[in-house]
């Protein structure tokens, strides 16, 4: 299909196809299409419904220009009603979703600690690259300015919650925490691992940190201090201990690792754990096979 190019300023001998014009528009995003149009019933011809029942009407052209995912659904599949739950069941309607749709109209997005998780999820699911970029920059600023436990906890929990959608924020958070000052990281790990009811995702984040030599030593220190003060492992500490890379522990802080095993022995817990060389992990005996701990 060929369109007139007189209004573009390009000589007629160089016609542009519709596809090229769409690409050119996409490269110019974000654009201000006029936020007032969002409240116009005549202008908005598509209904979007979130998994929690929240709905909003918007214009198909504006949605399609911003999102290749919505462009596929609206242009090629010719849908007039979009079930956002079909894209992700973790999307939540309300203020954050409203802000996201308004951003598509206005070309302006303002992430906050309240709306950021949903904005980032929507930007990833719908492949709205300019909002995704702004969300990443917002998160990077959070990482660079977070020093107290609540703010650090927020950055970790957010990255973990977004992992089912994207690994981007895990990849940003892990090196940032790994390169914190040693005592600051230790204080965070101690507070974090003492939290009740941590999810596997949160604990796996801690294990991801231990790929760095400093974090390995600090996690071992936290586990040792906890065992020393209570005489037993919490459920979270037990999970981390079982899934630590033993070779890394021995390489980067073998003394602390062996001290930890000695403490388990002294506490009468040595039969609860075993080491398997093939998997390079420590397992609880009740979950694996009954045999004594092996040590290098």
């Amino acid at each position: 299909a060929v369109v007139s190019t007189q209004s573009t300023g390009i000589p007629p001998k160089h016609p542009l196809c519709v596809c090229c014009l769409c690409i050119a528009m996409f490269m110019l995003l974000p654009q201000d299409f006029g936020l007032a149009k969002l409240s116009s019933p005549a202008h908005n011809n598509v209904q979007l419904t979130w998994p929690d029942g929240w709905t909003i009407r918007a214009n198909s052209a504006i949605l399609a220009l911003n999102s290749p995912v919505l462009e596929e659904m609206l242009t090629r599949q010719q849908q007039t009603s979009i079930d956002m739950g079909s894209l992700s069941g973790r999307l939540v309607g309300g203020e954050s979703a409203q802000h996201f749709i308004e951003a598509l109209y206005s070309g302006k997005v303002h992430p906050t600690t309240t709306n950021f998780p949903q904005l980032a999820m929507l930007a990833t699911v719908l492949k709205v690259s300019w909002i995704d970029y702004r969300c990443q920059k917002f998160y990077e600023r959070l990482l660079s300015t977070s020093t107290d436990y609540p703010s650090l906890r927020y950055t970790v929990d957010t990255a973990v919650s977004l992992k089912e959608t994207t690994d981007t924020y895990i990849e940003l958070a892990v090196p940032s925490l790994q390169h914190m000052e040693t005592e600051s990281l230790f204080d965070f790990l101690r507070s974090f691992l003492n939290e009740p009811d941590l999810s596997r995702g949160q604990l796996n984040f801690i294990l991801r940190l231990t790929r760095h030599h400093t974090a390995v030593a600090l996690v071992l220190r936290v586990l040792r201090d906890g065992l020393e003060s209570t005489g037993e492992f919490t459920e979270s500490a037990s999970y981390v201990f079982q899934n630590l890379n033993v070779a890394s522990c021995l390489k980067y802080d073998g003394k602390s690792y062996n001290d930890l095993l000695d403490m388990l022995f002294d506490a009468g817990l040595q039969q609860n754990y075993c080491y398997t060389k093939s998997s390079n992990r420590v397992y609880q005996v009740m979950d694996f096979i009954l045999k004594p701990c092996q040590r290098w």
Side-chain angles (χ1 to χ4, degrees):
V2 177
V3 299
S4 171
T5 59
Q6 291 180 355
S7 62
T8 67
I10 299 176
K13 63 179 180 179
H14 296 295
L16 293 177
C17 66
V18 172
C19 181
C20 292
L21 282 179
C22 289
I23 293 173
M25 287 288 290
F26 180 75
M27 292 177 66
L28 293 174
L29 292 173
Q31 290 191 41
D32 185 356
F33 295 102
L35 187 55
K37 293 184 178 68
L38 186 56
S39 59
S40 170
H43 182 76
N44 299 319
N45 58 341
V46 175
Q47 178 167 296
L48 297 92
T49 303
W50 265 248
D52 58 1
W54 188 83
T55 64
I56 190 170
R57 294 190 68 83
N59 181 265
S60 58
I62 293 175
L63 296 175
L65 282 170
N66 278 278
S67 165
V69 174
L70 292 178
E71 195 274 337
E72 167 70 21
M73 300 175 76
L74 295 167
T75 305
R76 299 192 180 184
Q77 299 178 18
Q78 298 186 343
Q79 297 185 31
T80 57
S81 179
I82 294 179
D83 175 14
M84 299 296 288
S86 66
L87 301 174
S88 173
R90 302 179 67 240
L91 296 176
V92 178
E95 184 178 345
S96 298
Q98 178 79 29
H99 183 69
F100 181 86
I101 299 299
E102 289 177 353
L104 302 184
Y105 274 71
S106 67
K108 298 175 182 178
V109 66
H110 304 287
T112 66
T113 52
T114 301
N115 66 26
F116 164 70
Q118 281 294 310
L119 288 180
M121 190 178 300
L122 280 164
T124 300
V125 169
L126 297 178
K127 298 183 180 178
V128 182
S129 58
W130 70 270
I131 295 182
D132 187 35
Y133 175 78
R134 303 283 175 84
C135 286
Q136 289 183 38
K137 290 302 178 183
F138 173 78
Y139 187 72
E140 288 173 355
R141 288 195 298 272
L142 282 181
L143 288 171
S144 66
T145 57
S146 297
T147 54
D148 59 282
Y149 179 72
S151 58
L152 287 168
R153 174 70 188 267
Y154 173 86
T155 60
V156 171
D157 289 350
T158 303
V160 171
S161 71
L162 290 169
K163 190 179 186 306
E164 291 184 18
T165 306
T166 175
D167 286 332
T168 297
Y169 297 98
I170 294 286
E171 298 297 333
L172 291 172
V174 167
S176 178
L177 267 69
Q178 285 175 333
H179 292 94
M180 286 174 59
E181 292 184 2
T182 301
E183 286 307 308
S184 296
L185 180 56
F186 173 74
D187 289 341
F188 169 76
L189 290 170
R190 179 176 56 189
S191 298
F192 190 82
L193 288 174
N194 281 326
E195 292 277 6
D197 304 321
L198 292 174
S199 69
R200 288 295 174 90
Q202 291 168 315
L203 295 174
N204 286 335
F205 179 89
I206 297 301
L207 290 167
R208 177 74 178 273
L209 286 179
T210 61
R211 297 179 187 179
H212 188 273
H213 60 88
T214 301
V216 171
L218 294 179
V219 167
L220 288 173
R221 183 176 155 192
V222 170
L223 295 178
R224 183 195 63 200
D225 290 354
L227 183 61
E228 191 173 43
S229 63
T230 64
E232 61 182 6
F233 272 159
T234 64
E235 185 177 345
S236 294
S238 181
Y239 178 83
V240 171
F241 180 65
Q242 293 171 59
N243 288 280
L244 282 171
N245 185 294
V246 178
S248 294
C249 292
L250 293 173
K251 178 179 179 180
Y252 295 122
D253 197 351
K255 183 180 185 305
S256 292
Y257 183 75
N258 283 316
D259 287 346
L260 191 55
L261 288 179
D262 288 339
M263 292 175 67
L264 287 172
F265 183 86
D266 293 339
L269 301 174
Q270 78 282 3
Q271 290 185 350
N272 291 340
Y273 299 91
C274 64
Y275 168 67
T276 60
K277 188 172 183 178
S278 60
S279 63
N280 205 18
R281 295 288 189 273
V282 172
Y283 289 90
Q284 282 189 305
V285 170
M286 65 185 70
D287 293 333
F288 194 62
I289 183 172
L290 186 61
K291 61 181 180 181
C293 280
Q294 300 177 12
R295 292 175 55 184
W296 288 3

